[in-house]
Amino acid sequence: PKGSSNASQSSQDSSSALQLMSDPSHSARPGARNVQTILHVASPYAGWMIYFPGQVYCDHSPNVRKVQVFEKYFISWNKLYDWDDIEQKGYFIVDYSELVTDSIIKDNYSDLNSELQDSPENVLACMGLAMHQIVSHKHQQEAATVIEETGGCRDEVTDYCAPYIQARMKNFGSPLALKHFK
């Protein structure tokens, strides 16, 4: 019967499909190598690769949480910072004594002191990226406002990535007298 022939044909198609999906560790081609690919997740941080060049962005990275805490901290102190001046200079200064006594930091980043001792470069990179994100976002908002005022559409605003902004810390550790340097 015709029906059994179609079933037989379909069964043969299935078995050939199963052969195509065989275990990749046993390559049919001699000398073939398996290649592992890395899936890059798009970062919401325009400067992620500037501050963490060897680290692929991941939503669950501890650095993402730290950057978010620093963003909240800097925004809460927005009267202290001149965003345009920071972008122009390429650095900003954070007072350690104010940082560690701030409720945002105390509530959300309790191991800041130990991390500043153990990996200060990473903490400063997180601070820098947080400020970079704020400055980049502010620049985009201003561009969107100008475009709207001239009759354009907000969708016309292109992504903006500020130049590298370095975080500098003051009042951290005990000062050393110059006579101790040789």
Side-chain angles (χ1 to χ4, degrees):
K2 280 189 170 182
S4 65
S5 171
N6 285 342
S8 165
Q9 179 64 34
S10 152
S11 172
Q12 287 175 350
D13 290 345
S14 303
S15 67
S16 65
L18 290 174
Q19 289 175 349
L20 292 176
M21 298 173 65
S22 63
D23 184 4
S25 63
H26 303 294
S27 176
R29 294 181 300 164
R33 299 181 314 161
N34 291 331
V35 177
Q36 182 175 357
T37 58
I38 297 173
L39 179 63
H40 292 277
V41 177
S43 171
Y45 296 98
W48 183 267
M49 293 307 292
I50 298 170
Y51 293 89
F52 301 106
Q55 190 179 110
V56 175
Y57 175 80
C58 172
D59 289 339
H60 306 293
S61 165
N63 286 337
V64 171
R65 184 186 59 78
K66 294 170 195 171
V67 170
Q68 291 169 343
V69 171
F70 287 130
E71 281 182 279
K72 286 179 190 173
Y73 172 77
F74 295 138
I75 290 169
S76 75
W77 286 90
N78 68 352
K79 298 210 182 334
L80 183 66
Y81 296 106
D82 179 348
W83 311 123
D84 294 327
D85 189 48
I86 290 169
E87 182 178 13
Q88 184 178 17
K89 286 182 184 175
Y91 73 90
F92 64 101
I93 298 172
V94 177
D95 187 328
Y96 172 77
S97 55
E98 290 176 3
L99 180 70
V100 295
T101 58
D102 187 85
S103 62
I104 292 172
I105 300 298
K106 288 192 316 190
D107 294 345
N108 297 293
Y109 196 173
S110 58
D111 24 329
L112 175 65
N113 284 325
S114 62
E115 288 191 22
L116 274 169
Q117 295 287 333
D118 299 339
S119 57
E121 298 87 7
N122 190 61
V123 175
L124 292 174
C126 290
M127 284 183 185
L129 179 57
M131 184 61 75
H132 183 274
Q133 183 72 6
I134 292 167
V135 169
S136 295
H137 183 71
K138 179 186 174 292
H139 192 278
Q140 282 184 269
Q141 292 297 328
E142 290 172 351
T145 301
V146 168
I147 287 174
E148 280 183 341
E149 288 172 356
T150 58
C153 178
R154 273 180 107 66
D155 296 342
E156 295 174 20
V157 177
T158 58
D159 288 340
Y160 176 75
C161 182
Y164 180 79
I165 298 172
Q166 181 182 25
R168 297 179 182 175
M169 183 143 331
K170 70 177 186 176
N171 297 326
F172 178 70
S174 57
L176 296 173
L178 290 175
K179 68 181 182 180
H180 295 297
F181 291 103
K182 293 182 182 185

PDB file of all heavy atoms in Angstrom, residues 46 135-148 152-162:
ATOM      1  N   ALA A  46      27.847  51.395  27.307  1.00  0.00           N
ATOM      2  CA  ALA A  46      28.583  51.738  26.086  1.00  0.00           C
ATOM      3  C   ALA A  46      30.089  51.542  26.263  1.00  0.00           C
ATOM      4  O   ALA A  46      30.790  51.210  25.324  1.00  0.00           O
ATOM      5  CB  ALA A  46      28.282  53.179  25.688  1.00  0.00           C
ATOM      6  N   VAL A 135      27.606  60.022  32.107  1.00  0.00           N
ATOM      7  CA  VAL A 135      28.000  61.077  31.173  1.00  0.00           C
ATOM      8  C   VAL A 135      27.497  60.755  29.762  1.00  0.00           C
ATOM      9  O   VAL A 135      26.962  61.629  29.072  1.00  0.00           O
ATOM     10  CB  VAL A 135      29.533  61.283  31.198  1.00  0.00           C
ATOM     11  CG1 VAL A 135      29.993  62.169  30.058  1.00  0.00           C
ATOM     12  CG2 VAL A 135      29.964  61.867  32.537  1.00  0.00           C
ATOM     13  N   SER A 136      27.644  59.506  29.325  1.00  0.00           N
ATOM     14  CA  SER A 136      27.171  59.111  27.988  1.00  0.00           C
ATOM     15  C   SER A 136      25.663  59.279  27.875  1.00  0.00           C
ATOM     16  O   SER A 136      25.150  59.798  26.872  1.00  0.00           O
ATOM     17  CB  SER A 136      27.555  57.654  27.688  1.00  0.00           C
ATOM     18  OG  SER A 136      28.946  57.504  27.611  1.00  0.00           O
ATOM     19  N   HIS A 137      24.933  58.856  28.913  1.00  0.00           N
ATOM     20  CA  HIS A 137      23.473  58.957  28.907  1.00  0.00           C
ATOM     21  C   HIS A 137      23.038  60.428  28.879  1.00  0.00           C
ATOM     22  O   HIS A 137      22.117  60.801  28.141  1.00  0.00           O
ATOM     23  CB  HIS A 137      22.893  58.248  30.127  1.00  0.00           C
ATOM     24  CG  HIS A 137      21.410  58.241  30.165  1.00  0.00           C
ATOM     25  ND1 HIS A 137      20.639  57.483  29.306  1.00  0.00           N
ATOM     26  CD2 HIS A 137      20.532  58.918  30.946  1.00  0.00           C
ATOM     27  CE1 HIS A 137      19.366  57.690  29.559  1.00  0.00           C
ATOM     28  NE2 HIS A 137      19.275  58.557  30.549  1.00  0.00           N
ATOM     29  N   LYS A 138      23.704  61.267  29.679  1.00  0.00           N
ATOM     30  CA  LYS A 138      23.381  62.691  29.706  1.00  0.00           C
ATOM     31  C   LYS A 138      23.589  63.304  28.318  1.00  0.00           C
ATOM     32  O   LYS A 138      22.764  64.083  27.849  1.00  0.00           O
ATOM     33  CB  LYS A 138      24.247  63.412  30.728  1.00  0.00           C
ATOM     34  CG  LYS A 138      23.983  64.901  30.802  1.00  0.00           C
ATOM     35  CD  LYS A 138      24.975  65.583  31.716  1.00  0.00           C
ATOM     36  CE  LYS A 138      24.822  67.067  31.680  1.00  0.00           C
ATOM     37  NZ  LYS A 138      25.194  67.684  30.412  1.00  0.00           N
ATOM     38  N   HIS A 139      24.676  62.925  27.669  1.00  0.00           N
ATOM     39  CA  HIS A 139      24.977  63.445  26.325  1.00  0.00           C
ATOM     40  C   HIS A 139      23.873  63.035  25.344  1.00  0.00           C
ATOM     41  O   HIS A 139      23.425  63.845  24.522  1.00  0.00           O
ATOM     42  CB  HIS A 139      26.336  62.918  25.874  1.00  0.00           C
ATOM     43  CG  HIS A 139      26.880  63.592  24.671  1.00  0.00           C
ATOM     44  ND1 HIS A 139      26.503  63.260  23.399  1.00  0.00           N
ATOM     45  CD2 HIS A 139      27.774  64.605  24.542  1.00  0.00           C
ATOM     46  CE1 HIS A 139      27.148  64.012  22.535  1.00  0.00           C
ATOM     47  NE2 HIS A 139      27.930  64.837  23.202  1.00  0.00           N
ATOM     48  N   GLN A 140      23.421  61.798  25.428  1.00  0.00           N
ATOM     49  CA  GLN A 140      22.357  61.321  24.536  1.00  0.00           C
ATOM     50  C   GLN A 140      21.045  62.042  24.811  1.00  0.00           C
ATOM     51  O   GLN A 140      20.307  62.364  23.870  1.00  0.00           O
ATOM     52  CB  GLN A 140      22.166  59.812  24.689  1.00  0.00           C
ATOM     53  CG  GLN A 140      23.223  59.011  23.963  1.00  0.00           C
ATOM     54  CD  GLN A 140      22.963  57.534  24.045  1.00  0.00           C
ATOM     55  OE1 GLN A 140      23.444  56.884  24.953  1.00  0.00           O
ATOM     56  NE2 GLN A 140      22.210  57.015  23.105  1.00  0.00           N
ATOM     57  N   GLN A 141      20.745  62.285  26.092  1.00  0.00           N
ATOM     58  CA  GLN A 141      19.507  62.994  26.437  1.00  0.00           C
ATOM     59  C   GLN A 141      19.527  64.417  25.876  1.00  0.00           C
ATOM     60  O   GLN A 141      18.521  64.901  25.354  1.00  0.00           O
ATOM     61  CB  GLN A 141      19.318  63.034  27.963  1.00  0.00           C
ATOM     62  CG  GLN A 141      19.037  61.690  28.576  1.00  0.00           C
ATOM     63  CD  GLN A 141      17.735  61.100  28.078  1.00  0.00           C
ATOM     64  OE1 GLN A 141      16.777  61.808  27.764  1.00  0.00           O
ATOM     65  NE2 GLN A 141      17.678  59.790  27.987  1.00  0.00           N
ATOM     66  N   GLU A 142      20.680  65.076  25.998  1.00  0.00           N
ATOM     67  CA  GLU A 142      20.802  66.436  25.463  1.00  0.00           C
ATOM     68  C   GLU A 142      20.654  66.441  23.949  1.00  0.00           C
ATOM     69  O   GLU A 142      19.999  67.320  23.386  1.00  0.00           O
ATOM     70  CB  GLU A 142      22.147  67.044  25.871  1.00  0.00           C
ATOM     71  CG  GLU A 142      22.233  67.368  27.343  1.00  0.00           C
ATOM     72  CD  GLU A 142      23.630  67.799  27.785  1.00  0.00           C
ATOM     73  OE1 GLU A 142      24.584  67.687  26.979  1.00  0.00           O
ATOM     74  OE2 GLU A 142      23.751  68.228  28.935  1.00  0.00           O
ATOM     75  N   ALA A 143      21.249  65.467  23.279  1.00  0.00           N
ATOM     76  CA  ALA A 143      21.131  65.371  21.824  1.00  0.00           C
ATOM     77  C   ALA A 143      19.676  65.135  21.422  1.00  0.00           C
ATOM     78  O   ALA A 143      19.188  65.718  20.449  1.00  0.00           O
ATOM     79  CB  ALA A 143      22.024  64.254  21.294  1.00  0.00           C
ATOM     80  N   ALA A 144      18.980  64.300  22.176  1.00  0.00           N
ATOM     81  CA  ALA A 144      17.574  64.023  21.877  1.00  0.00           C
ATOM     82  C   ALA A 144      16.727  65.280  22.033  1.00  0.00           C
ATOM     83  O   ALA A 144      15.835  65.555  21.215  1.00  0.00           O
ATOM     84  CB  ALA A 144      17.052  62.919  22.785  1.00  0.00           C
ATOM     85  N   THR A 145      17.019  66.062  23.050  1.00  0.00           N
ATOM     86  CA  THR A 145      16.278  67.304  23.272  1.00  0.00           C
ATOM     87  C   THR A 145      16.495  68.277  22.118  1.00  0.00           C
ATOM     88  O   THR A 145      15.545  68.891  21.618  1.00  0.00           O
ATOM     89  CB  THR A 145      16.722  67.954  24.606  1.00  0.00           C
ATOM     90  OG1 THR A 145      16.484  67.026  25.664  1.00  0.00           O
ATOM     91  CG2 THR A 145      15.969  69.231  24.885  1.00  0.00           C
ATOM     92  N   VAL A 146      17.734  68.415  21.681  1.00  0.00           N
ATOM     93  CA  VAL A 146      18.043  69.316  20.564  1.00  0.00           C
ATOM     94  C   VAL A 146      17.327  68.855  19.298  1.00  0.00           C
ATOM     95  O   VAL A 146      16.750  69.666  18.567  1.00  0.00           O
ATOM     96  CB  VAL A 146      19.575  69.408  20.343  1.00  0.00           C
ATOM     97  CG1 VAL A 146      19.901  70.092  19.030  1.00  0.00           C
ATOM     98  CG2 VAL A 146      20.240  70.114  21.507  1.00  0.00           C
ATOM     99  N   ILE A 147      17.356  67.562  19.037  1.00  0.00           N
ATOM    100  CA  ILE A 147      16.705  67.028  17.838  1.00  0.00           C
ATOM    101  C   ILE A 147      15.200  67.276  17.889  1.00  0.00           C
ATOM    102  O   ILE A 147      14.587  67.681  16.894  1.00  0.00           O
ATOM    103  CB  ILE A 147      17.028  65.535  17.645  1.00  0.00           C
ATOM    104  CG1 ILE A 147      18.483  65.397  17.185  1.00  0.00           C
ATOM    105  CG2 ILE A 147      16.081  64.868  16.670  1.00  0.00           C
ATOM    106  CD1 ILE A 147      18.982  63.978  17.080  1.00  0.00           C
ATOM    107  N   GLU A 148      14.585  67.069  19.059  1.00  0.00           N
ATOM    108  CA  GLU A 148      13.149  67.313  19.193  1.00  0.00           C
ATOM    109  C   GLU A 148      12.816  68.788  18.991  1.00  0.00           C
ATOM    110  O   GLU A 148      11.819  69.133  18.367  1.00  0.00           O
ATOM    111  CB  GLU A 148      12.652  66.846  20.557  1.00  0.00           C
ATOM    112  CG  GLU A 148      12.429  65.365  20.638  1.00  0.00           C
ATOM    113  CD  GLU A 148      11.863  64.943  21.989  1.00  0.00           C
ATOM    114  OE1 GLU A 148      11.978  65.699  22.967  1.00  0.00           O
ATOM    115  OE2 GLU A 148      11.311  63.845  22.052  1.00  0.00           O
ATOM    116  N   GLY A 152      12.881  67.190  14.826  1.00  0.00           N
ATOM    117  CA  GLY A 152      13.239  65.803  14.507  1.00  0.00           C
ATOM    118  C   GLY A 152      12.582  64.820  15.457  1.00  0.00           C
ATOM    119  O   GLY A 152      11.787  65.179  16.321  1.00  0.00           O
ATOM    120  N   CYS A 153      12.952  63.577  15.290  1.00  0.00           N
ATOM    121  CA  CYS A 153      12.396  62.497  16.102  1.00  0.00           C
ATOM    122  C   CYS A 153      13.491  61.960  17.028  1.00  0.00           C
ATOM    123  O   CYS A 153      14.647  61.825  16.624  1.00  0.00           O
ATOM    124  CB  CYS A 153      11.894  61.391  15.179  1.00  0.00           C
ATOM    125  SG  CYS A 153      11.231  59.971  16.050  1.00  0.00           S
ATOM    126  N   ARG A 154      13.125  61.615  18.265  1.00  0.00           N
ATOM    127  CA  ARG A 154      14.092  61.088  19.243  1.00  0.00           C
ATOM    128  C   ARG A 154      14.818  59.848  18.716  1.00  0.00           C
ATOM    129  O   ARG A 154      15.932  59.558  19.126  1.00  0.00           O
ATOM    130  CB  ARG A 154      13.385  60.711  20.545  1.00  0.00           C
ATOM    131  CG  ARG A 154      13.251  61.842  21.510  1.00  0.00           C
ATOM    132  CD  ARG A 154      12.547  61.388  22.783  1.00  0.00           C
ATOM    133  NE  ARG A 154      13.332  61.237  23.987  1.00  0.00           N
ATOM    134  CZ  ARG A 154      13.930  62.207  24.646  1.00  0.00           C
ATOM    135  NH1 ARG A 154      13.908  63.425  24.175  1.00  0.00           N
ATOM    136  NH2 ARG A 154      14.568  61.971  25.772  1.00  0.00           N
ATOM    137  N   ASP A 155      14.188  59.116  17.837  1.00  0.00           N
ATOM    138  CA  ASP A 155      14.794  57.895  17.283  1.00  0.00           C
ATOM    139  C   ASP A 155      16.028  58.193  16.440  1.00  0.00           C
ATOM    140  O   ASP A 155      16.811  57.296  16.151  1.00  0.00           O
ATOM    141  CB  ASP A 155      13.783  57.121  16.438  1.00  0.00           C
ATOM    142  CG  ASP A 155      12.608  56.602  17.268  1.00  0.00           C
ATOM    143  OD1 ASP A 155      12.743  56.539  18.509  1.00  0.00           O
ATOM    144  OD2 ASP A 155      11.577  56.282  16.678  1.00  0.00           O
ATOM    145  N   GLU A 156      16.189  59.459  16.050  1.00  0.00           N
ATOM    146  CA  GLU A 156      17.327  59.842  15.221  1.00  0.00           C
ATOM    147  C   GLU A 156      18.624  59.961  16.028  1.00  0.00           C
ATOM    148  O   GLU A 156      19.698  60.097  15.459  1.00  0.00           O
ATOM    149  CB  GLU A 156      17.045  61.182  14.531  1.00  0.00           C
ATOM    150  CG  GLU A 156      15.905  61.124  13.537  1.00  0.00           C
ATOM    151  CD  GLU A 156      15.549  62.499  12.988  1.00  0.00           C
ATOM    152  OE1 GLU A 156      16.384  63.413  13.076  1.00  0.00           O
ATOM    153  OE2 GLU A 156      14.425  62.644  12.487  1.00  0.00           O
ATOM    154  N   VAL A 157      18.535  59.923  17.364  1.00  0.00           N
ATOM    155  CA  VAL A 157      19.716  60.062  18.214  1.00  0.00           C
ATOM    156  C   VAL A 157      20.552  58.794  18.116  1.00  0.00           C
ATOM    157  O   VAL A 157      20.061  57.686  18.305  1.00  0.00           O
ATOM    158  CB  VAL A 157      19.315  60.305  19.690  1.00  0.00           C
ATOM    159  CG1 VAL A 157      20.548  60.384  20.571  1.00  0.00           C
ATOM    160  CG2 VAL A 157      18.484  61.564  19.813  1.00  0.00           C
ATOM    161  N   THR A 158      21.813  58.985  17.808  1.00  0.00           N
ATOM    162  CA  THR A 158      22.715  57.835  17.728  1.00  0.00           C
ATOM    163  C   THR A 158      23.323  57.577  19.104  1.00  0.00           C
ATOM    164  O   THR A 158      23.391  58.471  19.946  1.00  0.00           O
ATOM    165  CB  THR A 158      23.852  58.092  16.714  1.00  0.00           C
ATOM    166  OG1 THR A 158      24.555  59.264  17.102  1.00  0.00           O
ATOM    167  CG2 THR A 158      23.307  58.259  15.316  1.00  0.00           C
ATOM    168  N   ASP A 159      23.760  56.356  19.316  1.00  0.00           N
ATOM    169  CA  ASP A 159      24.398  56.010  20.584  1.00  0.00           C
ATOM    170  C   ASP A 159      25.670  56.822  20.740  1.00  0.00           C
ATOM    171  O   ASP A 159      26.395  57.066  19.777  1.00  0.00           O
ATOM    172  CB  ASP A 159      24.733  54.521  20.623  1.00  0.00           C
ATOM    173  CG  ASP A 159      23.489  53.658  20.768  1.00  0.00           C
ATOM    174  OD1 ASP A 159      22.447  54.187  21.202  1.00  0.00           O
ATOM    175  OD2 ASP A 159      23.559  52.462  20.439  1.00  0.00           O
ATOM    176  N   TYR A 160      25.936  57.220  21.959  1.00  0.00           N
ATOM    177  CA  TYR A 160      27.125  58.017  22.244  1.00  0.00           C
ATOM    178  C   TYR A 160      27.963  57.289  23.287  1.00  0.00           C
ATOM    179  O   TYR A 160      27.445  56.806  24.284  1.00  0.00           O
ATOM    180  CB  TYR A 160      26.731  59.400  22.759  1.00  0.00           C
ATOM    181  CG  TYR A 160      27.931  60.231  23.162  1.00  0.00           C
ATOM    182  CD1 TYR A 160      28.752  60.808  22.207  1.00  0.00           C
ATOM    183  CD2 TYR A 160      28.250  60.424  24.500  1.00  0.00           C
ATOM    184  CE1 TYR A 160      29.855  61.564  22.560  1.00  0.00           C
ATOM    185  CE2 TYR A 160      29.351  61.178  24.862  1.00  0.00           C
ATOM    186  CZ  TYR A 160      30.149  61.740  23.897  1.00  0.00           C
ATOM    187  OH  TYR A 160      31.241  62.484  24.246  1.00  0.00           O
ATOM    188  N   CYS A 161      29.235  57.226  23.048  1.00  0.00           N
ATOM    189  CA  CYS A 161      30.162  56.614  23.990  1.00  0.00           C
ATOM    190  C   CYS A 161      31.201  57.674  24.360  1.00  0.00           C
ATOM    191  O   CYS A 161      32.009  58.075  23.524  1.00  0.00           O
ATOM    192  CB  CYS A 161      30.840  55.390  23.370  1.00  0.00           C
ATOM    193  SG  CYS A 161      31.952  54.533  24.495  1.00  0.00           S
ATOM    194  N   ALA A 162      31.133  58.132  25.605  1.00  0.00           N
ATOM    195  CA  ALA A 162      32.078  59.146  26.082  1.00  0.00           C
ATOM    196  C   ALA A 162      33.493  58.575  26.060  1.00  0.00           C
ATOM    197  O   ALA A 162      33.686  57.353  26.058  1.00  0.00           O
ATOM    198  CB  ALA A 162      31.705  59.557  27.503  1.00  0.00           C
TER     199      ALA A 162
END
